[in-house]
Amino acid sequence: MRELKITPIRNGTVIDHIGNGLALEVLRIIGVRELDKDSTVSVALHVRSQKLGWKDIVKVENMELSPRKVNAIALIAPTATISIIRDYKVREKRAVDLPDRIVGVLRCPNPNCISNQNEPVESEFEVARRRPVVLRCGYCDRQVDEFLSHLA
Amino acid sequence: MTLKGRDLISIRDLSREEIEEVLRAAKRMIPYAEGRKSSRALEDRLLTLAFFEPSTRTRLSFETAVQRLGGRCVTIADPSASSMRKGESLHDTVRMLSSYGDGIVLRHPNEGAARLAALASDKPVINAGDGAGQHPTQTLLDLATMQEAFGTLSGLKVVFLGDLKFGRTVHSLAHALSMFGAELVLSSPPTLGLPNEVREQLDEAGAKVTEADQVHSAVRDADVLYVTRIQKERFADEAEYAKVAGSYRIDNTILAGAKPRLIVMHPLPRTGEIAPEVDGTSHAAYFRQAFLGVPVRMALLSLILTGRAG
């Protein structure tokens, strides 16, 4: 594979194999504004990939993703892989994996659902189907198969 | 298998065997519901009825059920008089109520409210209708009505007529009937068809579902005609409501082609979907259906609060 024009990072996270055009959504999930002000964020768009044809890549210095953010990425970019970098070395590499229950990641698309009514509870979805992914609201049973516009 | 201490949020919380257990217990409750026998099965039990949306039949039948079994209840019947008006969350309201009584019956305008209440409460929560969502005790009394009329639920052909989109009773009942191998026929105004996800769930459960354009022909070989009201309160737009309101009406002319044993059911209130002339025929089962709400809720409360069927 050709050398990428992104500098290596010492410590942080590389999110690779993001579906083409989805990197900005992944950045939104990561919450770039919450990052350490000295951290570098590198984004590569439309990169050749043997597996996907084209892909996006996001590298974030000095950050490891919370399980909740990993779940959100799994919904938006199910082909993504996440590598944890420590001292320039890949210490851990794994594909994102959707758990059976997803808490606090999405808003229920049903405006009349109790989870959208200022109650002291987090949204909760269970996986109704995995291919393609369909989630069902744990409160009102509404099904969701489009996730971008419902990110919490 | 026991219902003691359990929540009842959706009819899907019950297995076929558990539904059958409730129906058997409900049948035994009929003489008590009619006042011919008396029971103290719920003596010393206090039930909280929290109704945050208007209801006549459901609330009064729960109150009747508790009192016929010697129990007591406290009721919130007017949400404007409760502290939710001051902005208290349902979660906190339910948490408090669960410390007062032995169980909570909840009606609420938001879908999923009963599920949230069950999480907040350490006492059993019974869903008495959450918005356009679930209404499992209605389903149980609907099943009890068919069971009483035909002695079985297996193999019945049930025609659903009306608002199949917002009509929560239809979704729950269709699911339950599919567990018993009934055949379902759907007939609705084009904009009020069964939601795709409900249809998919029925298909996945292996239900026999067909659609009928003409209610005349659908009624001909049906055992049950289940009619629902078009609910004005579920429409955001008055013009949309006006388009479909009054688009169907069951009268004796339509029923002339039906089997003699066909029963007409309706969760009530009706607003013109069934002509009053039907009331005097042997087909009319909707008032019996409304009555059976009492013994069914007696059975359920007894099983959930005491673990005994009366």
Side-chain angles (χ1 to χ4, degrees), chain B residues 136-185:
Chain B
T137 64
Q138 177 73 43
T139 302
L140 289 168
L141 75 90
D142 291 342
L143 295 174
T145 308
M146 296 181 203
Q147 173 90 38
E148 183 180 66
F150 298 99
T152 180
L153 297 170
S154 302
L156 293 181
K157 183 168 184 176
V158 181
V159 177
F160 287 99
L161 172 67
D163 169 10
L164 310 185
K165 183 179 179 185
F166 298 109
R168 59 187 166 197
T169 58
V170 171
H171 306 166
S172 304
L173 181 57
H175 173 83
L177 283 170
S178 72
M179 280 198 256
F180 289 90
E183 188 182 339
L184 313 177
V185 183

Side-chain angles (χ1 to χ4, degrees), chain B residues 95-111:
Chain B
R95 180 94 191 253
M96 171 199 72
L97 292 177
S98 81
S99 68
Y100 289 178
D102 301 308
I104 297 174
V105 176
L106 180 77
R107 152 90 44 118
H108 196 277
N110 290 118
E111 286 95 69

